[in-house]
Amino acid sequence: MTQDLTITEVRLTPILVADPPLLNTQGVHQPYTPRLVVEVVTAGGVTGVGETYGDTKYLDLAAPLADALPGRRVSDVNGLHRLAALVCGDSPEASGADAVDAGGLRGVQTADKLRLSVVSGFEVACLDALGKALGLPVHALLGGKVRDAVDYSAYLFYRWAAHPGGAGEPDDWGAALDPAGVVAQARRFARDYGFASFKLKGGVFEPDEEIAAVRALAEAFPGQPLRLDPNGAWSVETSLRVARELADILEYLEDPASTTAGMAQVAAGTEMALATNMCVTTFAEIPEAFAAGAVQVVLSDHHYWGGLRNTRELAAICRTFGVGLSMHSNTHLGISLAAMTHVAAVVPNLDYACDSHYPWQSEDVITERLEFKDGRLAVSDLPGLGVELDRGRLARLHRRWLEDDGAMRDRDDAAAMRAAEPGWTAPPVPRW
Ligand SMILES: O=C([O-])C(=O)C[C@H](O)[C@@H](O)C(=O)[O-]
Ligand SMILES: [Mg+2]
């Protein structure tokens, strides 16, 4: 092996990506959302790419890691985690205990979780470079794929036709603000991408309206898997009522209540499987939640959990405890979708179709967008992730970030909502 795997350069490129006016319980997506593209370059001349959150608090942690990494090898992924713990320090914004992320709806935010999200982008870039250097796909570096294609689910959102004042990039999806609008959106997802399971982002309207939307979906797509996710907006009582009303319809109910204790109370009163990407988003949160029987399905997310290898470890823990595994998504581009697909391909117990926001993203930084066929993505056997960075596209989205006055650089769905409803603040939990 003559390839020199030593990292000689790390490039960080913050970008702003167009995002439609998708509604959630905190507010609405901004016209543009921040992401960070990480590139690691080896002495052997190979470049690996990764992608993660791009808000200021993540950039603040990524910069010292990028400075410290040259001289290490892309194969030293354990060392990457140790290095990050040493050099990243705590983002000032992460130090407030129990702070809740303003846009990501990812539960309690800690310095540890922020650092792991940053490391995930670097880990993926290192694995991409290592795979390219060795001529192996990332899934082979993770032990080899156990499936040739990964199922994804349609991610339905209540939405407006356009951002207030026509901000951002227009699209032709139209508004979806009632059951008919949600079903029309789902039909388009089924027609254009072949998705066979559907998740509705809830917590936007009164629970009865969202129950009606899910019932309309069940009528339109009989027997197909459906999920509802209000991001912890409901009380235990409301959660139990919704679980009763949708008992025979939902595959699982995602984060009906907002804390482990609340989820445990809901779980004790229903047979419905409860899933989470809010109360179990890091290893330290597992023991309490599993002991309390608070969740029956964990939504993995390699950004949250610190990379692809940690996601595999999460899968092993879930398997051990008889807890199901699905996959969460936040706004992301093709680099992350490729990474999600590689890790999903190696986890035997990925029991559900994965979430992905990707169809909502009209822009990308790779040369060829990934294509869902029959609701699935083929697992790439090309070296590394199997995607190529498009430098022109990256430069354009970076220029947008440079020219932004700061309004879009930190995702804040409640602030975005104020463009339509001045005085709006993220509703207290439980909202209903
Ligand atoms: O499953 C989830 O909870 C999410 O995907 C969180 C996201 O932030 C989603 O709610 C969104 O993008 O509005
Ligand atoms: Mg969720």
Side-chain angles (χ1 to χ4, degrees):
M1 215 336 273
T2 53
Q3 246 318 341
D4 188 342
L5 299 175
T6 310
I7 297 170
T8 52
E9 190 188 347
V10 180
R11 289 193 286 266
L12 300 179
T13 312
I15 56 177
L16 281 178
V17 184
D19 209 9
L22 308 179
L23 297 162
N24 58 40
T25 199
Q26 295 206 350
V28 65
H29 287 207
Q30 300 174 168
Y32 300 101
T33 203
R35 295 293 285 172
L36 173 65
V37 174
V38 180
E39 292 174 79
V40 296
V41 184
T42 69
V46 171
T47 301
V49 292
E51 174 196 337
T52 190
Y53 294 90
D55 309 60
T56 312
K57 62 195 173 205
Y58 299 97
L59 301 184
D60 286 349
L61 300 188
L65 187 53
D67 287 345
L69 209 50
R72 308 219 166 208
R73 288 155 63 89
V74 287
S75 52
D76 184 16
V77 180
N78 289 334
L80 171 68
H81 279 266
R82 281 197 308 272
L83 185 67
L86 272 179
V87 303
C88 285
D90 286 355
S91 157
E93 285 192 53
S95 48
D98 294 345
V100 174
D101 191 16
L105 300 158
R106 53 180 299 183
V108 175
Q109 174 180 297
T110 65
D112 219 33
K113 291 185 189 180
L114 287 187
R115 191 183 66 252
L116 287 169
S117 296
V118 170
V119 172
S120 74
F122 285 75
E123 189 230 43
V124 167
C126 286
L127 292 176
D128 183 38
L130 182 59
K132 284 174 175 158
L134 299 176
L136 291 172
V138 166
H139 68 72
L141 304 178
L142 300 170
K145 62 182 178 181
V146 297
R147 52 181 69 85
D148 291 322
V150 171
D151 285 315
Y152 282 87
S153 149
Y155 201 151
L156 311 177
F157 276 87
Y158 290 110
R159 59 161 291 166
W160 299 324
H163 285 285
E169 311 298 317
D171 69 25
D172 61 359
W173 282 84
L177 295 165
D178 55 20
V182 168
V183 169
Q185 192 184 94
R187 286 198 196 285
R188 178 164 168 181
F189 270 114
R191 184 195 71 201
D192 293 353
Y193 304 98
F195 293 128
S197 25
F198 302 89
K199 158 170 165 171
L200 174 62
K201 172 61 45 173
V204 176
F205 296 115
E206 297 269 350
D208 283 334
E209 289 189 47
E210 298 187 353
I211 290 170
V214 172
R215 289 213 170 110
L217 284 170
E219 231 168 82
F221 301 94
Q224 292 184 227
L226 302 176
R227 312 160 186 172
L228 176 60
D229 174 15
N231 281 112
W234 302 333
S235 66
V236 169
E237 201 181 33
T238 302
S239 303
L240 286 171
R241 183 169 73 79
V242 177
R244 255 192 323 274
E245 301 226 18
L246 296 177
D248 299 326
I249 295 182
L250 289 180
E251 176 179 44
Y252 55 67
L253 185 55
E254 191 173 318
D255 287 308
S258 70
T259 61
T260 296
M263 291 283 279
Q265 279 179 271
V266 179
T270 179
E271 295 290 305
M272 169 86 71
L274 302 185
T276 189
N277 65 270
M278 294 182 72
C279 71
V280 180
T281 63
T282 194
F283 291 103
E285 290 169 336
I286 289 178
E288 185 193 344
F290 284 15
V295 296
Q296 288 70 54
V297 180
V298 173
L299 285 95
S300 65
D301 178 326
H302 74 270
H303 306 90
Y304 284 14
W305 291 83
L308 307 185
R309 293 155 71 260
N310 277 3
T311 304
R312 223 180 28 179
E313 291 183 9
L314 166 66
I317 295 172
C318 287
R319 202 158 59 232
T320 308
F321 285 88
V323 169
L325 192 72
S326 189
M327 192 180 281
H328 165 262
S329 148
N330 217 316
T331 304
H332 65 87
L333 298 177
I335 300 171
S336 275
L337 184 59
M340 290 156 70
T341 304
H342 277 279
V343 73
V346 303
V347 170
N349 54 315
L350 195 72
D351 315 300
Y352 304 90
C354 303
D355 290 351
S356 175
H357 281 59
Y358 195 59
W360 291 117
Q361 263 48 69
S362 54
E363 299 177 327
D364 212 328
V365 293
I366 55 176
T367 50
E368 277 180 48
R369 271 177 77 80
L370 304 180
E371 269 187 47
F372 298 98
K373 291 216 175 75
D374 298 327
R376 329 185 79 197
L377 269 186
V379 179
S380 167
D381 291 320
L382 294 172
L385 291 171
V387 298
E388 204 186 314
L389 202 54
D390 183 321
R391 299 218 161 266
R393 289 176 172 177
L394 182 68
R396 196 169 75 79
L397 302 189
H398 179 52
R399 206 158 42 241
R400 185 188 281 150
W401 183 89
L402 288 172
E403 287 167 2
D404 179 66
D405 61 5
M408 300 287 150
R409 287 188 183 182
D410 296 288
R411 178 175 159 183
D412 187 340
D413 295 2
M417 192 71 170
R418 285 193 280 279
E421 287 192 37
W424 171 272
T425 51
V429 175
R431 186 171 176 189
W432 289 288

